[in-house]
Amino acid sequence: MIPKSHPRYESLRQRELLVEGYKAGATALEGLIAFGRGEAFDYLLGEKTPDAAVEAVRAAAAMLLAAENPVVSVNGNTAVLCPEELVKLARAVEGKLEINLFYRTEKRVKAIEGILKGHGAEKVYGVKADAEIEGLDSRRRLVDREGIYSADVVFVALEDGDRTEALIKAGKKVIAVDLNPLSRTAQTASITIVDNVIRAVPLLLAAAEELRAMDREALNRIHRSFDNPSNLRKSLSEIIHGLRSMASH
Amino acid sequence: MIPKSHPRYESLRQRELLVEGYKAGATALEGLIAFGRGEAFDYLLGEKTPDAAVEAVRAAAAMLLAAENPVVSVNGNTAVLCPEELVKLARAVEGKLEINLFYRTEKRVKAIEGILKGHGAEKVYGVKADAEIEGLDSRRRLVDREGIYSADVVFVALEDGDRTEALIKAGKKVIAVDLNPLSRTAQTASITIVDNVIRAVPLLLAAAEELRAMDREALNRIHRSFDNPSNLRKSLSEIIHGLRSMASH
């Protein structure tokens, strides 16, 4: 156990969750490397939610609430980093939870399903994976016919660029959480939240609860007025600004 | 096996080395996360050696050649990423190779010793670890009396800030390879090479071979004229410049 007083408590706790997740069979070894990449980008953000992400979160909440069949996609890293919040998010937007893995094995699917159910999920999609997304070579193509396959809006976090592109090509809207505003996922998604998933998902949940009383027309106005390329430029400026100010200390 | 034609061949090959290293018992799970952090910073460098690093490499080679008892410190990540080059570097500067691990276990020490001997090392220090560096809580304090304990110059790569500080406090010069010019290691070391270890070690080896005919006075002039804080500022400028140019594409 890491003492809460440790200056790097939050970061070390997340690292511990990932290592435990690997040992529990939920997280892939490659997921640990991907997590490390995220740590570096989060460091550049000063481990704080950028102002640009707050705007993106509001648009994302509106888009999820206005959707016909929204799906919250879960992978090995997000399942161990913020399972409870993902379960609550799917419930708040009346959406489905679906497991979708790059390094998909039955063992990992079962481990993640167990984690999500342990955090209150009633139904978890993606266990049987009876449909495919076209144009995707990786095992990420395997989806649930009633879940991602028929979704109009998919929420993804810590995603690969190929899948984001394939989902967009399949006519879906994609909301991504990605710490690198220059990544292919960030550049391709309909709405990109440039933030650590561990901060972004609770913010998104809070925004969904705040906006849920609105009618669809008002929700559509909110997310349609959001400009993703311009928001990504703002995030990048915040990163460069942060680097400059770290350099001058 | 990853095909050589893959646009991300070099990066994916390194990732594969780490995953294999973990399975072989040499690399720690936390080493995979640290590697991911490195990937992100290398991405910011455009996966190329910055000009500033070329200057640092020359100074580092001169410092190692001028040393009385230089030691090349090896950890789980460097042992799987560039074992042959580390063995050759120690030989080129007439130095010692020593295993030093944060997550030190007998099993890992043995696995790394096996890798280094398999790449031509005759003697590997740090296996018995019969001395301690003061002011260090982690297992990195355990060193070899004839190795790091009595070294005047220590070469470290992918290092933690606590250890770099403790080595400097123990009166040693530290040459570090670190992709983050703002890290505590980068800021504390005598000479910091801001580059990927997989590119930096071969460059350092080539520089050592080029300078080895020089006398000690000439070598001392080279490394004494090197200004680490100013070199770190140059590396940081190159990173910020790279981010800006990626952003405008």
Side-chain angles (χ1 to χ4, degrees):
Chain A
M1 283 295 288
I2 306 146
K4 271 212 164 188
S5 59
H6 193 289
R8 301 204 41 76
Y9 169 78
E10 181 50 38
S11 157
L12 294 173
R13 186 184 70 88
Q14 290 172 41
R15 212 177 283 176
E16 214 173 51
L17 287 173
L18 262 286
V19 169
E20 282 165 16
Y22 173 72
K23 290 176 181 161
T27 307
L29 282 178
E30 290 79 0
L32 296 181
I33 297 176
F35 175 76
R37 280 199 301 282
E39 277 191 351
F41 283 106
D42 202 20
Y43 165 90
L44 296 180
L45 289 179
E47 292 168 8
K48 286 195 311 265
T49 300
D51 293 340
V54 176
E55 289 171 46
V57 158
R58 187 174 157 85
M63 186 181 268
L64 282 165
L65 288 165
E68 293 289 344
N69 187 18
V71 174
V72 172
S73 182
V74 181
N75 67 23
N77 282 20
T78 56
V80 302
L81 286 169
C82 50
E84 192 181 332
E85 290 79 5
L86 289 168
V87 171
K88 285 184 178 165
L89 176 65
R91 194 173 298 141
V93 301
E94 293 175 36
K96 292 165 181 163
L97 270 177
E98 178 162 340
I99 299 169
N100 184 277
L101 306 177
F102 191 90
Y103 297 98
R104 184 186 176 96
T105 63
E106 279 314 297
K107 190 180 154 233
R108 290 188 60 215
V109 170
K110 286 287 162 202
I112 295 168
E113 188 189 20
I115 291 172
L116 294 172
K117 291 202 163 167
H119 284 88
E122 277 159 33
K123 180 152 174 59
V124 176
Y125 290 80
V127 177
K128 60 180 193 316
D130 54 356
E132 294 197 4
I133 294 288
E134 268 183 55
L136 205 49
D137 290 334
S138 79
R139 307 210 75 199
R140 282 211 186 267
R141 71 181 183 279
L142 305 169
V143 294
D144 210 302
R145 189 164 296 277
E146 293 170 52
I148 289 172
Y149 189 78
S150 49
D152 54 344
V153 176
V154 185
F155 171 83
V156 300
L158 319 179
E159 192 50 61
D160 66 279
D162 286 345
R163 182 181 178 223
T164 306
E165 281 182 358
L167 291 172
I168 293 281
K169 272 195 194 139
K172 301 173 194 309
K173 286 189 171 135
V174 176
I175 297 166
V177 179
D178 195 319
L179 277 157
N180 173 8
L182 297 168
S183 78
R184 206 143 46 93
T185 289
Q187 299 279 332
T188 312
S190 317
I191 297 176
T192 307
I193 302 166
V194 178
D195 197 11
N196 189 327
V197 66
I198 220 152
R199 294 188 301 267
V201 178
L203 288 175
L204 189 51
L205 178 60
E209 279 163 359
E210 190 196 319
L211 302 183
R212 72 191 300 179
M214 280 191 183
D215 60 34
R216 186 159 295 176
E217 212 177 306
L219 293 168
N220 282 337
R221 260 199 310 274
I222 293 176
H223 74 78
R224 281 178 191 150
S225 68
F226 177 79
D227 178 358
N228 206 46
S230 135
N231 190 269
L232 286 169
R233 279 192 298 273
K234 272 189 217 168
S235 298
L236 188 67
S237 295
E238 290 189 54
I239 289 173
I240 292 174
H241 182 79
L243 262 174
R244 285 199 184 286
S245 69
M246 276 193 268
S248 63
H249 284 316
Chain B
M1 283 294 289
I2 305 147
K4 271 213 163 186
S5 60
H6 193 289
R8 300 205 43 76
Y9 169 79
E10 181 50 39
S11 159
L12 294 173
R13 186 183 70 88
Q14 290 171 40
R15 213 178 282 176
E16 216 173 48
L17 287 172
L18 262 286
V19 169
E20 283 165 17
Y22 173 73
K23 290 176 181 162
T27 307
L29 281 178
E30 290 80 0
L32 296 183
I33 297 176
F35 176 76
R37 281 200 300 282
E39 278 191 349
F41 283 107
D42 202 19
Y43 165 91
L44 296 179
L45 290 179
E47 292 169 5
K48 286 196 312 266
T49 300
D51 293 341
V54 176
E55 290 172 44
V57 158
R58 187 175 157 85
M63 186 181 270
L64 282 166
L65 287 165
E68 293 289 344
N69 187 18
V71 174
V72 172
S73 182
V74 181
N75 67 22
N77 282 19
T78 55
V80 301
L81 286 170
C82 50
E84 190 181 334
E85 290 79 5
L86 289 168
V87 171
K88 285 184 179 165
L89 176 64
R91 195 174 298 142
V93 301
E94 294 174 36
K96 291 165 182 162
L97 271 178
E98 177 162 340
I99 299 169
N100 183 277
L101 305 177
F102 191 91
Y103 297 98
R104 184 186 176 96
T105 64
E106 279 314 297
K107 189 179 155 238
R108 290 189 62 216
V109 170
K110 285 289 162 201
I112 294 168
E113 187 188 21
I115 290 172
L116 294 173
K117 290 202 163 166
H119 284 89
E122 278 161 32
K123 179 153 175 57
V124 175
Y125 290 80
V127 177
K128 59 181 195 314
D130 55 356
E132 293 198 6
I133 294 289
E134 267 183 56
L136 204 50
D137 289 333
S138 79
R139 306 211 76 200
R140 281 211 185 269
R141 73 182 181 280
L142 305 170
V143 294
D144 209 301
R145 189 164 295 278
E146 292 169 54
I148 288 171
Y149 189 79
S150 47
D152 54 344
V153 175
V154 185
F155 172 82
V156 301
L158 317 179
E159 192 50 61
D160 66 280
D162 285 344
R163 182 180 178 224
T164 306
E165 281 181 357
L167 291 173
I168 292 281
K169 271 195 194 141
K172 300 174 195 308
K173 286 189 172 137
V174 176
I175 297 166
V177 179
D178 195 317
L179 277 157
N180 174 7
L182 296 167
S183 79
R184 203 144 48 93
T185 290
Q187 299 279 332
T188 312
S190 318
I191 297 176
T192 307
I193 302 166
V194 178
D195 197 10
N196 189 327
V197 66
I198 220 153
R199 293 187 301 266
V201 178
L203 287 174
L204 190 51
L205 178 61
E209 279 162 0
E210 190 196 318
L211 302 182
R212 74 191 299 179
M214 280 190 183
D215 61 35
R216 185 159 296 178
E217 211 176 306
L219 292 168
N220 281 337
R221 261 200 308 274
I222 292 176
H223 73 76
R224 282 178 191 151
S225 68
F226 178 81
D227 179 356
N228 207 45
S230 136
N231 190 268
L232 287 169
R233 279 192 298 274
K234 273 190 216 169
S235 298
L236 187 67
S237 296
E238 291 188 54
I239 289 173
I240 292 175
H241 182 80
L243 262 174
R244 284 200 185 287
S245 68
M246 277 193 268
S248 61
H249 285 315

